[in-house]
Amino acid sequence: MKITKDPKTGKWKLDVEITKGKRYRKTCNTKTECLEYYHQLKRRQADQEHYDRHDNRSLKAIVDLWYEGRGCELVKGERIRRILHSMADVLGNPEARKMTPKRFNDYKAIRRIKAQKGKNTIADSTLNNYLTYLRSVYNYLIAIGEINYPNPLAQAHKIKVQEPELAYLTRDQVCLLLATIEQNFKHNHLLLVTKLCLATGARWGEITSRKVHHFKNQQVDLTKTKGKRIRSIPLDEELYETAKEHLEAHGSFKCTRKGFAKAIKLAGISLPDGQNSHVLRHTFASHFMMNKGNIIVLQNILGHTDIKLTMKYAKFDPEHFKDAINLNPLAQLERQ
């Protein structure tokens, strides 16, 4: 510690290193003020070390703290808590402050071994999601002052995964699918939900949860969405009236994703692994851009909070990358 007086200003300057590599400097009117500030820093450091040394709460305990303050507000909060509890069990529920990137790598290795034995297969993208969940738990508790140590998973690396194939249905496949549903499924539930998803770009659950009061002013109101924002999408008059009459008669849409998967199979349509009803949302967005729709309008229709999520559909715009045809070296040779 060093306290010196500036001969020009008459003020006192404190220069002290409380912990290795971290210095504090302060200018005060008197030497006493400098000493008081120094002792304040010492007490703060002692309290911090005491807190860190005695914070032996388990991983499950801090997950529950996060759930009480933040997770319970999320649509998938309860599911995330179950996932993180399961992770803690696999790792022996260690002290939260002793969680490290290596320990998370151990968890990944254990899950992969189980996958090789044919149990509980897990994708790399799912493991990345789990890392994001756990990081968020630490970040939230740090932000509210519940824990005073750095996020132990801040340096953990995500697995680099192959970008998934963006599957969508062609116009002929859409016609084939609708005809197949009409011929093989009764009561019109599945057909209507499929048409509404294709007409609005809504997620399957956003449509199947609709009631008659969500249809008004020739549009459908999508509430309780993934982004927690209400979206109102206009509908063709015939589809709007058909959907409204159907809900007035039946009260709700009575169909499942399994039913849709069966319809896809009956139609002889092949989809990439992991794709099911979400192909309808991709189909809407892809055809929207093929027909020269505006990317910002598409973002609002789909309810994306980040334009980056919507940009993957930009490649379907006929003008997208059109210069590749005219500006490549072969085209230049031909012109010469």
Side-chain angles (χ1 to χ4, degrees), residues 2-51:
K2 186 165 65 172
I3 300 177
T4 57
K5 186 176 183 180
D6 189 323
K8 292 182 179 179
T9 63
K11 293 193 175 183
W12 294 81
K13 292 183 178 180
L14 169 69
D15 187 342
V16 63
E17 186 179 49
I18 299 294
T19 56
K20 190 173 181 180
K22 189 167 184 179
R23 304 191 70 83
Y24 294 87
R25 296 180 176 87
K26 187 174 178 66
T27 301
C28 302
N29 292 323
T30 66
K31 185 176 181 180
T32 302
E33 288 179 12
C34 287
L35 288 169
E36 286 176 353
Y37 181 69
Y38 167 70
H39 289 300
Q40 180 184 339
L41 291 174
K42 290 285 286 183
R43 284 194 301 273
R44 190 189 303 166
Q45 181 62 26
D47 290 344
Q48 177 71 50
E49 290 174 356
H50 174 82
Y51 189 89

Side-chain angles (χ1 to χ4, degrees), residues 60-99:
K60 277 188 176 180
I62 71 158
V63 168
D64 288 340
L65 276 174
W66 164 84
Y67 181 79
E68 291 170 7
R70 174 67 178 139
C72 61
E73 301 168 356
L74 303 177
V75 174
K76 296 183 179 179
E78 178 56 38
R79 175 176 170 270
I80 293 172
R81 178 166 70 164
R82 290 198 303 270
I83 288 169
L84 297 181
H85 271 213
S86 176
M87 182 191 299
D89 288 335
V90 169
L91 294 172
N93 196 22
E95 286 185 24
R97 66 191 300 273
K98 293 182 179 178
M99 189 68 187

Side-chain angles (χ1 to χ4, degrees), residues 118-166:
K119 301 176 183 177
N120 301 320
T121 57
I122 188 166
D124 287 346
S125 58
T126 304
L127 288 170
N128 285 342
N129 289 340
Y130 290 2
L131 175 58
T132 299
Y133 298 157
L134 195 50
R135 274 180 178 165
S136 298
V137 167
Y138 283 107
N139 287 337
Y140 170 75
L141 295 177
I142 290 169
I144 65 171
E146 186 60 43
I147 58 178
N148 289 329
Y149 49 82
N151 189 328
L153 294 176
Q155 302 303 318
H157 293 289
K158 288 188 175 182
I159 307 163
K160 192 170 184 178
V161 297
Q162 179 65 43
E163 184 179 354
E165 182 180 350
L166 186 61

